[in-house]
Amino acid sequence: MAELNTSGETDTLAASIMQQEEAAARGEDDSQPTYRIERPVYDEAFIRSQLLHRRENSTTLRLRLANRLRCSSQKAKAAVFSFLPILTWLPNYPVKQYLFSDVVSGLSTGVVQLPQGLAYAMLAAVPPVYGLYSSFYPVLLYTFFGTSRHISIGTFAVISLMIGAIVVREAPDSMFYVLSANGTNASAVLDVEARDARRVQVAVVLTTLVGIIQFSFGLLRFGFVAIYLTEPLVRGFTTAAAVHVVVSQLKYLLGVKTQRFSGPLSVIYSVKAVLWDVTSTNVSTVILGLSCIVFLYVIKDLNERFKKKLPIPIPGEIIVVIVSTGVSYGMSLSDVYKVDVVGKIPTGLLPPAAPEFSLLPNLVTDSFAIAIVGFSMGISLAKTFALKHGYSVDGNQELIALGLCNFISSFFQTFAITCSMSRSLVQESTGGKTQIAGLLASLMVLLVVVAIGFVFQPLPQTALAAIIMVNLLGMFKQFRDIPALWRTSKIELAIWLVAFVASVLLGLDYGLLVAIAFAILTVIYRTQSPKSGILGHVAGTGLYCDVDEYEEAAEYDGIKIFHSNSSIYFANSDLYVNTLKEKTGVDPEALQAARKTQKKWTEKANGDRNPSLNMCGKNKKQEVTHEVVSYDEQRNGQLGADRRASLSEEANFLEPPLTAVHSIILDWTPATFIDSVGAKAIKQVIKEYAALDVQVVLAGCSRSLISELDSLQFFTGVATPAMVFPTIHDAVLRCRRSNPRTPAAPTDGPLRQIHL
Amino acid sequence: MAELNTSGETDTLAASIMQQEEAAARGEDDSQPTYRIERPVYDEAFIRSQLLHRRENSTTLRLRLANRLRCSSQKAKAAVFSFLPILTWLPNYPVKQYLFSDVVSGLSTGVVQLPQGLAYAMLAAVPPVYGLYSSFYPVLLYTFFGTSRHISIGTFAVISLMIGAIVVREAPDSMFYVLSANGTNASAVLDVEARDARRVQVAVVLTTLVGIIQFSFGLLRFGFVAIYLTEPLVRGFTTAAAVHVVVSQLKYLLGVKTQRFSGPLSVIYSVKAVLWDVTSTNVSTVILGLSCIVFLYVIKDLNERFKKKLPIPIPGEIIVVIVSTGVSYGMSLSDVYKVDVVGKIPTGLLPPAAPEFSLLPNLVTDSFAIAIVGFSMGISLAKTFALKHGYSVDGNQELIALGLCNFISSFFQTFAITCSMSRSLVQESTGGKTQIAGLLASLMVLLVVVAIGFVFQPLPQTALAAIIMVNLLGMFKQFRDIPALWRTSKIELAIWLVAFVASVLLGLDYGLLVAIAFAILTVIYRTQSPKSGILGHVAGTGLYCDVDEYEEAAEYDGIKIFHSNSSIYFANSDLYVNTLKEKTGVDPEALQAARKTQKKWTEKANGDRNPSLNMCGKNKKQEVTHEVVSYDEQRNGQLGADRRASLSEEANFLEPPLTAVHSIILDWTPATFIDSVGAKAIKQVIKEYAALDVQVVLAGCSRSLISELDSLQFFTGVATPAMVFPTIHDAVLRCRRSNPRTPAAPTDGPLRQIHL
């Protein structure tokens, strides 16, 4: 034990106490330790002069800065290792132990990656092959830069949908109608190729921007921005995304040809448009789509139920893709039944090309939303797996990795990616051990792209819509959060609901913004509408609890301990002061006003002591007195009665209706900061009460709060360090000592200090 | 003394302590009271079961509601009195004592009211006579509804300027050019009459809306919205307003005819426009304006200097108005020297007319800004005077009063008003006692309007500009806030600067919005970037302070007390956990990872114990160990050395590099709330540390925080009420007792509980 003795008079006392404590704490093992403290009452003045001495800072700022900026080969090596995590794990890769599991997991994931890539490209409003590109390049790159061993990077429904909304806004159908003069009558025809080319351009530039933002955030160590996406917010937001996705896929499922909407209220417009055209539903499409949904749902259920018995989950999605492609090809669904199919899938990869940066200015705000959502999805999943498998992921490196994946890939015509939850679960549950699994999945996609991509040309769009919808069913389960949150936290329920409603109605981008703003406001609300009350001592314990809540808490006569569960700053200082006056039952303004009227009245006329009280002055005074009493009564049942009696008596004898309270202790234990407005308000309170001969003292200030008070020059004039106590109990002991006033003699000197 | 005894085993102990305390506190008067507590160590489980019993709520919600909604004649009377405060003070008006002072004050105020009304109408971009109307109706009405006895209601520079900006935006010059064909060449001529009529309409509707908003806010008891306008914000904002005003008056002072700008960057455009046309300056105008400024400034200075000797301040402004009108009339300045004059002032009042409500939709957001600024100016001044003179003002009634003044007056063609600081100071310093002074001032304005308004027609505009500018010189003194705030609070300085810069550049409306948003964000910042540290015991006192800051604070071996100056919620829980790991020097992830690698390594190969350490696994482990040690070292100089030695030793012998810390105490004294994200994070921390055989306990939770934890279902699984202690000292005593581990035997059972 390296106990330092305090200087000054406490020396010997402290030493002896410490010995007792030691004895008590180390003595017999089976008895309860005893809490025993005996010391003089401390106030801040004493603490400053005698008890605490600031430690001299041994390292100067310059030294620390130099230390931090020093360059060494070790540091450089660490930087390289942290930037390219593959260098740390690959040389050490235990081939025998891990490779087989990684291959199995990689193939299983690739089998899911493929249909999801095709399907989510539809969400992103670009031709399906770009979904395949997006399932290859970024996944490959993540192997080098990523720190998570289990997440599956690639296309993700929510992000794809957000991209889709922006793409459709920037390149709407209406921009691409061209006049085609076939035969005699000229009609406007949608130039699908020009539109899709434009849409790909928009999606690609957006992805470049997302990559740049994520990469810079990572370099700037801004990983913390994800913290604003609190869990209820993310769950409300993703549920809303699921609603958007289902609505956007309705038309493919039904084979109805409607426009795609974006922006606020797009959900409503989309549903309306589909319902309007529901008569043009293509029956074959619906039948095919519904059977896919049923099949996928059953497979999903089976996978869930026989999780432990199946070595790898049944790849329902690839089965659906293969079978429906086969059926479509065999029965010529596209030609005979007019079922919409995927259409042309070029074979091979595209050469790299610079994104069309001229589109950039319109996309800046959107890309921030996508970058943040993408990252926060990734990091939350990565953290979950890291925790489960006992390794650590680096949030900032994940941002850098995602940023590089998006940025570099975008030169190869991909759209923005992050990790997908469903796919990551496949990768992890099939035994994936390292990023090698992801690598293999990407290579499998590559194989399809360069060799057999054209095979999927007859794949009906309705099958892809079915895949998307079934994948998102899980998100609808999040509605169960509502009753759960109702029980645990109303504020978080509000965040969930605001995130959901705003995101459904305003679109995902504005919805996210509104939700974040709302989440921030709830914090303000929490600091601003504190719980407050009057504390009483639980006899013999040194603990103070709310007298309204606990039976054992009892007040000391003449001392009110006011507790408010917050810091004191501009937005709540007024409320703090008002609540203080109300809860303690001592309102200086009312008392002063009453006293003034009274004084005037006694000065003015001793003759007309008319007990019928119809004069205004008297009337007012009486009202005020009543008010004071009723506050008291409300607050403090048993004491209120006596005091009311004494007050009424006083009022009758025209004594000043002063309060029996001689000391008010402000419990600042929960206060973490104070600003100049708060400090001024408190000083004002001290002054006002001093005029009524009520002393106000502060208890339980933390050292950092006291430093703030110092720098705000609080301890000048009426406020002194001697009125600040380290604990409530110190303050109570001092107040009981220094105030000989008792309720029996409430007028003992109350008029001494009046100088307004 | 009404001490309630605690139940259970503490009974007798508590009673005896209480007696001792009593004795100590009441004993000899000149000795210091003693802080003495001796009791068993409490934890939350004990507190719940034995110590504290929830009080049954005697009044049900329904009863309380019924009580509140009960109607009585007394309540009705109180409501009427509070709505029409004149009923409380007028019947009791002490004619002999007050009337003379009120008359003097009223006339002095009226003499200022008049020129300010004319001048501020120019700011509001309406003809001067409307400024006179605005100086009459609302002032009259305030006499009935207002609770402040000293503020002078009427035109106010900042509000007038805000109105002006909106009016110019809604009715710009460009809307009113008409083709006039005089002679042969047709040219576009500004139709000043149509423009001014339109501008008056806009100002009037705006005023109606402001009135409605203020009135509704008052009824809804929304007076608190003014709290967001913290003092640094208001001072930065008003300084910016002064800049706007001076810039807007430059053209009148110089006699340059330029367009009036509104919206963002209007200040820059205005200055540019004036500078562009500076060659067309009218020399007579400039000379007149500058002499007015000099004269007013001297008078202001004299008034300030001989405050006590002068019975009433010299009415510089009315002298300027009268003299310059006389000069202008005598020398025909308007005709001969082309000096711009006020022009037509109709005699008499206008009949009431309904505002042009069709203009309303564009003005809603603007009117919120004006309503809030107007109210907050009024209430802050009213509170200052109330405090000085010992009466109370009712914020919500003030809102209602302002609202009614604006709303009713707007039917008589006024623009929005509030109280003006300079005028209120005149009213108060000349001895005004009640609202009667304001009433007389308004009647004086009425007299001018109905009788001699036309007299002011030759008044040069430059004289009015001079009045406005000199009035606002005081606001520029607010620049002195900057060094003062730099010393006291950087955050508040930031608020001041943001309010100023945003309001200057973006205009007063957007500027206010930005400033409020920024002020709110500073609160978030304060709760989110807390100060944190490790606490140590100041021997023998039961007080715990930061060991880095205070010499006397010393840590107990094996116990780390982590203190973070904030609540724990979504936006800082990650930071909290990271700081905890860093400051305590115990990072479970790193330790686990190190242990894993180690384990694998020892399992794998006993043969190749190669001390050159070029294998990756070893390398990594070594790094991690180093990191842990370096944290420790940084944090805890004297103990670090021993521990580092022991750790290196351990590392050398390939023992798990576990920490010597057996208990971590989280000091939650400053925590006021927690949300589900925070609770989950803490539970996770408890789990992670439990796996390393480090116990985590909570200390200093307030009762309300514990209720929140309960409703978040925190006390399930790993977390139990037995790990929550009412004070840090309780927790320390328990931790020292329950952990026989000493630094001499750090490996005593650390592997017992590992089940990841």
Side-chain angles (χ1 to χ4, degrees), chain B residues 162 192 206 260 322 324 339 343 348-349 431 445 465 476 532 559 619 643 743:
Chain B
M162 289 173 85
V192 176
L206 192 66
R260 179 161 169 174
I322 291 171
S324 61
V339 170
L349 298 169
V445 174
F476 285 110
S532 58
I559 299 179
N619 215 342
R643 206 174 306 148

Side-chain angles (χ1 to χ4, degrees), chain A residues 25-145:
Chain A
R26 300 228 162 157
E28 312 96 304
D29 256 7
D30 39 20
S31 85
Q32 284 284 324
T34 305
Y35 182 109
R36 187 192 300 140
I37 290 175
E38 185 168 358
R39 58 168 172 80
V41 166
Y42 296 145
D43 59 28
E44 182 59 24
F46 177 78
I47 287 177
R48 281 185 195 195
S49 63
Q50 306 277 333
L51 197 56
L52 289 174
H53 298 89
R54 284 200 170 263
R55 179 163 290 186
E56 306 216 343
N57 228 338
S58 53
T59 56
T60 64
L61 185 72
R62 211 179 126 205
L63 216 73
R64 269 181 293 162
L65 212 72
N67 221 349
R68 173 170 281 205
L69 295 178
R70 198 186 300 151
C71 207
S72 68
S73 68
Q74 216 173 5
K75 271 194 178 173
K77 208 169 146 190
V80 171
F81 275 152
S82 108
F83 181 69
L84 273 172
I86 194 171
L87 295 181
T88 60
W89 61 263
L90 195 62
N92 200 31
Y93 186 74
V95 179
K96 269 183 259 171
Q97 273 174 284
Y98 281 2
L99 192 60
F100 179 71
S101 328
D102 273 345
V103 169
V104 171
S105 162
L107 296 182
S108 315
T109 314
V111 157
V112 186
Q113 190 89 262
L114 202 63
Q116 286 193 348
L118 291 169
Y120 292 160
M122 271 168 64
L123 279 183
V126 293
V129 72
Y130 293 94
L132 294 182
Y133 300 154
S134 305
S135 305
F136 165 61
Y137 292 106
V139 188
L140 186 71
L141 288 166
Y142 186 79
T143 314
F144 298 95
F145 300 112

Side-chain angles (χ1 to χ4, degrees), chain B residues 8-27:
Chain B
E9 56 196 292
T10 52
D11 245 0
T12 49
L13 179 62
S16 75
I17 304 274
M18 280 314 299
Q19 280 159 15
Q20 287 174 29
E21 266 183 57
E22 296 275 313
R26 299 228 164 158

Side-chain angles (χ1 to χ4, degrees), chain A residues 77-337:
Chain A
K77 208 169 146 190
V80 171
F81 275 152
S82 108
F83 181 69
L84 273 172
I86 194 171
L87 295 181
T88 60
W89 61 263
L90 195 62
N92 200 31
Y93 186 74
V95 179
K96 269 183 259 171
Q97 273 174 284
Y98 281 2
L99 192 60
F100 179 71
S101 328
D102 273 345
V103 169
V104 171
S105 162
L107 296 182
S108 315
T109 314
V111 157
V112 186
Q113 190 89 262
L114 202 63
Q116 286 193 348
L118 291 169
Y120 292 160
M122 271 168 64
L123 279 183
V126 293
V129 72
Y130 293 94
L132 294 182
Y133 300 154
S134 305
S135 305
F136 165 61
Y137 292 106
V139 188
L140 186 71
L141 288 166
Y142 186 79
T143 314
F144 298 95
F145 300 112
T147 58
S148 171
R149 305 179 197 161
H150 295 89
I151 63 173
S152 166
I153 286 294
T155 54
F156 177 54
V158 176
I159 296 289
S160 304
L161 184 74
M162 289 174 85
I163 297 170
I166 297 154
V167 161
V168 169
R169 186 193 69 204
E170 294 293 317
D173 284 349
S174 56
M175 268 173 68
F176 299 96
Y177 280 102
V178 286
L179 279 182
S180 84
N182 55 340
T184 50
N185 47 353
S187 68
V189 169
L190 186 61
D191 181 355
V192 176
E193 254 180 48
R195 186 197 67 180
D196 284 352
R198 178 73 171 182
R199 286 186 173 179
V200 169
Q201 278 182 341
V202 174
V204 165
V205 176
L206 193 65
T207 305
T208 319
L209 211 52
V210 167
I212 292 171
I213 290 168
Q214 287 176 334
F215 184 70
S216 339
F217 272 26
L219 285 185
L220 295 170
R221 298 282 177 261
F222 269 12
F224 72 88
V225 292
I227 57 177
Y228 287 106
L229 304 184
T230 170
E231 205 190 331
L233 189 154
V234 170
R235 292 176 73 90
F237 176 75
T238 47
T239 312
V243 171
H244 276 281
V245 170
V246 167
V247 167
S248 73
Q249 295 308 301
L250 271 183
K251 65 172 190 174
Y252 297 108
L253 197 69
L254 300 178
V256 172
K257 280 187 188 50
T258 64
Q259 185 189 345
R260 178 161 168 174
F261 296 88
S262 69
L265 300 183
S266 59
V267 164
I268 292 169
Y269 295 134
S270 301
V271 171
K272 203 176 120 193
V274 169
L275 289 182
W276 229 244
D277 274 0
V278 82
T279 46
S280 67
T281 299
N282 184 321
V283 180
S284 332
T285 306
V286 176
I287 291 171
L288 185 59
L290 285 181
S291 23
C292 287
I293 286 184
V294 170
F295 175 76
L296 284 168
Y297 192 78
V298 169
I299 295 287
K300 214 180 171 93
D301 201 52
L302 286 178
N303 279 338
E304 196 67 30
R305 204 169 289 176
F306 300 106
K307 211 179 201 171
K308 280 169 193 160
K309 291 185 188 159
L310 293 167
I312 56 165
I314 308 167
E317 295 175 347
I318 198 77
I319 296 175
V320 162
V321 167
I322 291 170
V323 170
S324 60
T325 307
V327 168
S328 171
Y329 184 71
M331 299 174 64
S332 300
L333 287 182
S334 174
D335 297 334
V336 181
Y337 298 93

